[in-house]
Amino acid sequence: MTIGERATPPTIEAGTSIMNQHVNRRAILSSSAIATAAIAVASQEARAGDASAPSVSRELQGLIEAKHAAYARFISAIDVATDLEEAYLPKTAELYVPLSIGGGQSRSLRYSELESVEANLSDDIKRRYAEQQQKLAALAKVAPDLSKQSTAALRKAEQADLRTLKRLIKEERARRSAVGLEQAINERNEASDAERYALNAVCAYRCTTMEEHRVKAEFLKEFATGKYGDLQTEDIDALLWSFLPEEALEDAVKASEGGAA
């Protein structure tokens, strides 16, 4: 995913990115159950202690404020990382790996996390060697011993080229760290995750008054209807669970844990 796609708030993922694949359904259910129980207790205590308690709880207000703060952090992180990428990585920046069988493989470093670059180049190199291996099929029929020797040589060369890839990635990471780019990318990813979790927390909040329902709905309408991005699957799950009785959520968590066992 390009930085342009990531810069569409609030769902950003840098290359390998970022949050869609990070959220475990079971973890979401468990965290939602804990949050639901805590909110229910807080609401009951508020109603019991003060009959004139506000129609919008501090819990919901705090979650919304946390979401805004996380979003601001995210945008700031994008700006810092983008400026460093522009300064450090020209549009033609590539990581090139020379191959023992001739030629080489390269991938663009522009707007890419090194983990993604390494994984893609590793697949490319393995594919190139698999193609060479297929060419030995005919040789195996007429010269089995020579075919075995050639196969062994290819495997040795492939492993050597993969080690070269790891070395080049390590050197590139060190260069990025020296100018602060690696740290900026890490902060961008962490801020992205934090922003995603903050939105999910609002979705998971169990409203206790109609005013809370209105405030929550207006907030989600603003931040989750295409202007800034759309709700992810885990957000929709959390939102739907927030309308169901606590018992249903607890049963779902238990069933999930039982299935995993």
Side-chain angles (χ1 to χ4, degrees), residues 100-117:
S100 302
I101 55 176
Q105 287 295 141
S106 66
R107 285 278 178 166
S108 173
L109 290 171
R110 185 77 167 179
Y111 308 133
S112 299
E113 294 184 10
L114 290 180
E115 291 82 357
S116 178
V117 173

Side-chain angles (χ1 to χ4, degrees), residues 34-50:
I34 295 173
T36 296
I39 291 168
V41 171
S43 299
Q44 291 172 359
E45 291 178 348
R47 287 193 294 269
D50 184 3

Side-chain angles (χ1 to χ4, degrees), residues 6 18 73-74 77 183-197:
R6 291 197 42 168
I18 147 175
R73 174 193 172 189
F74 185 31
Q183 299 89 324
I185 290 175
N186 290 337
E187 166 60 14
R188 183 174 64 191
N189 292 342
E190 292 174 7
S192 176
D193 288 339
E195 195 274 338
R196 289 295 316 149
Y197 287 125

Side-chain angles (χ1 to χ4, degrees), residues 151-164:
T151 297
L154 280 177
R155 289 176 179 171
K156 184 177 180 180
E158 179 182 2
Q159 292 304 311
D161 290 346
L162 290 174
R163 287 194 297 271
T164 297

Side-chain angles (χ1 to χ4, degrees), residues 2 8 27 29 70 80 83 85-86 102-104 110 129 146 156 158 182 197 207 214 220 227 230 233 254:
T2 66
T8 300
L29 287 172
V80 172
D83 289 344
E85 284 173 329
E86 293 289 343
R110 185 77 167 179
Y129 275 93
L146 180 57
K156 184 177 180 180
E158 179 182 2
E182 187 73 2
Y197 287 125
C207 298
R214 184 191 66 77
L220 293 178
K227 179 180 179 181
D230 298 317
T233 300
K254 292 178 181 178

Side-chain angles (χ1 to χ4, degrees), residues 101-139:
I101 55 176
Q105 287 295 141
S106 66
R107 285 278 178 166
S108 173
L109 290 171
R110 185 77 167 179
Y111 308 133
S112 299
E113 294 184 10
L114 290 180
E115 291 82 357
S116 178
V117 173
E118 181 176 10
N120 290 331
L121 278 173
S122 179
D123 290 342
D124 291 341
I125 292 171
K126 291 176 181 178
R127 175 183 52 78
R128 289 281 299 274
Y129 275 93
E131 292 172 353
Q132 292 297 315
Q133 182 62 43
Q134 291 176 355
K135 295 179 181 179
L136 296 176
L139 180 62

Side-chain angles (χ1 to χ4, degrees), residues 11 22 33 51 58 83 113 121 141 160 166 168 173 178 194 203 207 209 226 245 247:
T11 53
H22 300 330
R58 292 181 180 178
D83 289 344
E113 294 184 10
L121 278 173
K141 298 178 181 179
K166 288 186 176 296
L168 293 174
R173 191 181 303 282
C203 291
C207 298
T209 67
E247 296 75 13

